[in-house]
Amino acid sequence: MKKLYGNAVVGQSGGPTAAINATLAGVIRGVLEDVGEGAIKTLYGMRNGVEGLLEERLVNLNELFAREENIEMLEHTPAAALGSCRKKLPKPGENDAVYEKLLSIFQKYDIRYFFYIGGNDSMDTVAKLSAYTKEHDYEMCIMGVPKTIDNDLVVTDHTPGFGSAAKYIAVTVQEIIRDCAVYTVPAVTIVEIMGRDAGWLTAASGIGLAVNGIVPDLIYLPERAFDKDEFFEDVRAALKKHPNVVIAVSEGIRFADGTYVCEGFGIASVDAFGHKQLSGTGKALEVAVKNELGCKVRSVELNISQRCAAHIASETDLAESVSVGRAAVKAASEGVTREMMVIVRDSTEPYRYHVDHSDVSRIANQIKKVPAVYINERGNHITAECAEYLLPLIAGEAAPRYRSGLPAFFVIE
Amino acid sequence: MKKLYGNAVVGQSGGPTAAINATLAGVIRGVLEDVGEGAIKTLYGMRNGVEGLLEERLVNLNELFAREENIEMLEHTPAAALGSCRKKLPKPGENDAVYEKLLSIFQKYDIRYFFYIGGNDSMDTVAKLSAYTKEHDYEMCIMGVPKTIDNDLVVTDHTPGFGSAAKYIAVTVQEIIRDCAVYTVPAVTIVEIMGRDAGWLTAASGIGLAVNGIVPDLIYLPERAFDKDEFFEDVRAALKKHPNVVIAVSEGIRFADGTYVCEGFGIASVDAFGHKQLSGTGKALEVAVKNELGCKVRSVELNISQRCAAHIASETDLAESVSVGRAAVKAASEGVTREMMVIVRDSTEPYRYHVDHSDVSRIANQIKKVPAVYINERGNHITAECAEYLLPLIAGEAAPRYRSGLPAFFVIE
């Protein structure tokens, strides 16, 4: 494609992460540093993804980030500074009004570049929009820039955002293991970690395997069927070794028949009106272990801090997120379109990577699971190979600046 | 009392904190630096508090911490490195066998100094042991060294350990508020924070009031009776202002009749056998708001990270914890006994404090609540005065050293 000249728009979509603003900062840096050599004039930010774009809720990012200080602050701000959405575009042909509206906005603002930072669903948006603009002869470069704490996108070695979530989990679980070790009374602590279909985040709880040997006693990922009897056997065996057993589980673990563990154990919360609501996986296992073993049990759900704990972000992750954003601007200005930026690992020790891009249709709507070699034979822990893959991604601490003891975040009103 | 010469023993008791090892490090530093001018020769550590002392499970801390590097690492290690216990000593006269055993161990190891780092129950141990040794003419200095994340000890301005827990909560809630702001769909997020009887920790969620104005929309402490109707009114009013409402609640909030909110709403978890277990306060409110308002609601329980998140410890808290430990050694060597170390605030701006000590019988078995002037009239937020009291306590970041992306902790095997 010939080089396009015009304006650009960038949006954030899907669940927030601690690094998605670093990627946005990378796109902004790319434009302000003019890596596209004149291709992009003004960079607009769409508020709440395509949802806000359809309403022309745009901000001028060249102006907003004229000061370097603001970009730096943005890099350390968790969650999507532009706001996010969960809007999925209709299939082209089904409801063309949406696409016509988008096209008219592109024309109105002379937008020739579209950067969409997001996960699986966002790559679907990139693919559909690419198809539509191509079909309607509107020359435009449309790029997907990946982010997801789940690390479940294919082709890319890992996803921006994952390293920071993994670091939060790895560090927090180290602290929880210390906390659990203080009493002599037998007790089981179950830590529930995000991950509906892929166990990458839960695997990160075992990263100490490669560093200091301090890991949860047991780790269960959704990639392996959960066997109730084997589980109780495992817990009994662990309690024989020491009184304080720590177990990490993915929220998405299932029995062999496909039933989620949180459903299968039949634990529900009931209100005064008798309304039932399924409890979480950790809670279900807590009650199950209490009933079966009779010992002290508690469950801890790490919850949304997994995706927004900017205060313990991975330096490697933030740096990569910035460079992926910047590289997207460069690639697009060279005529690349309908591609997603990917991270290619060149070497693990020492850790080296480079940024590339790949056809988004190879990536959208697929899930990358934790491979079999990363899980031990019994299916109750990770392997050394897994820890080695994970380790470089949590390297370095990228703390925000603090003012009066609180982190300074950049907020777009 | 005349100056005593002999050995010392130190123990940790009650729930762990991110700073209790910093206080232990302070006691060790006091002994190694010989602030007692020859009074103390060897410092023993009791494993698992008085429980381990009764079994003579002692470690020689002079040897273990001969290297400065180990002390520094200990200062940044969460949870009780010596282990903890929840043992309450019997009333003197009820079961003297326990006291006789302790006395024989003191004599055997020539122990003349006893330092007990703990909360309310630990101060009770200090008081009882003081009474017994005095009555039996065994010359000994027995000192309480405070720690509790709950900040509920009287006389002292605040307790070592509180500042770090407060900082974790303050920072995490700032991040959660960012995370919640990304979507445009009305949603309520309820954050449950530790504190059964006193709301100090929950108050810390509102500390942004004095810094950046970013605070939860609503904050409920156990010091004020919880009114269901007023609560729903408050939530409705907050949702009118913006779509993403964040509410911080103490686990211990109760209705006017004294019933805990987690009981009063009648939300329970039920397993397949019909066993019921009360859910947490956050979960109870989540279901209640969902039923009443019909909007999207979730609850987040900050859980044990509140007490063990060493990675975001308050520098002020760790420094004070060390100095309180060191000062305890100095005071004891000067003949002070049956006292608890206290922190006296000399000024808030600039923040200045000094360490003193106070009769433990004035402190044990009492609870310091959040005063009325720290809570707003409606009972749904803190006041500026409260934020100003809290602010100096979370100042500074005292990160541990990291090895390969994980914090380096000192573990006593």
Side-chain angles (χ1 to χ4, degrees), chain A residues 132-271:
Chain A
Y132 185 86
T133 50
K134 194 178 174 189
E135 200 183 315
H136 290 75
D137 290 328
Y138 183 77
E139 286 188 315
M140 193 170 188
C141 286
I142 301 182
M143 297 291 291
V145 196
K147 74 81 216 163
T148 165
I149 61 164
D150 292 325
N151 197 35
D152 59 354
L153 295 185
V154 295
V155 185
T156 188
D157 177 73
H158 56 277
T159 54
F162 170 67
S164 293
K167 187 177 184 88
Y168 171 82
I169 290 162
V171 170
T172 298
V173 168
Q174 293 278 314
E175 292 169 340
I176 288 176
I177 291 172
R178 293 307 316 137
D179 187 275
C180 292
V182 303
Y183 296 119
T184 53
V185 181
V188 174
T189 301
I190 296 160
V191 183
E192 180 186 325
I193 296 169
M194 282 179 173
R196 206 75 187 145
D197 301 302
W200 293 107
L201 289 171
T202 306
S205 72
I207 213 165
L209 204 64
V211 183
N212 55 18
I214 300 171
V215 286
D217 298 275
L218 300 163
I219 299 176
Y220 298 95
L221 310 185
E223 280 79 1
R224 290 284 280 270
F226 185 83
D227 184 294
K228 193 162 65 171
D229 298 328
E230 279 190 14
F231 170 69
F232 290 136
E233 257 178 45
D234 291 350
V235 180
R236 280 199 183 90
L239 277 167
K240 273 184 192 153
K241 283 192 225 153
H242 53 200
N244 303 295
V245 169
V246 176
I247 304 172
V249 298
S250 287
E251 58 177 336
I253 51 172
R254 306 178 191 212
F255 295 109
D257 67 1
T259 326
Y260 283 108
V261 166
C262 55
E263 294 164 11
F265 273 120
I267 320 291
S269 76
V270 186
D271 66 17

Side-chain angles (χ1 to χ4, degrees), chain A residues 21-93:
Chain A
N21 287 332
T23 300
L24 174 62
V27 173
I28 297 168
R29 286 189 185 283
V31 171
L32 294 184
E33 291 164 11
D34 195 21
V35 298
E37 297 173 3
I40 298 170
K41 208 175 138 204
T42 300
L43 175 66
Y44 294 102
M46 47 184 123
R47 305 304 310 268
N48 302 108
V50 286
E51 198 180 290
L53 178 59
L54 282 162
E55 295 161 0
E56 288 182 57
R57 290 193 285 120
L58 298 171
V59 284
N60 183 320
L61 297 176
N62 296 52
E63 286 171 9
L64 203 56
F65 291 95
R67 290 172 60 203
E68 166 67 20
E69 190 193 341
N70 288 352
I71 307 184
E72 272 171 36
M73 216 189 292
L74 179 67
E75 285 171 1
H76 295 278
T77 299
L82 289 170
S84 184
C85 72
R86 293 228 176 257
K87 190 174 180 70
K88 211 166 171 166
L89 290 184
K91 278 189 190 153

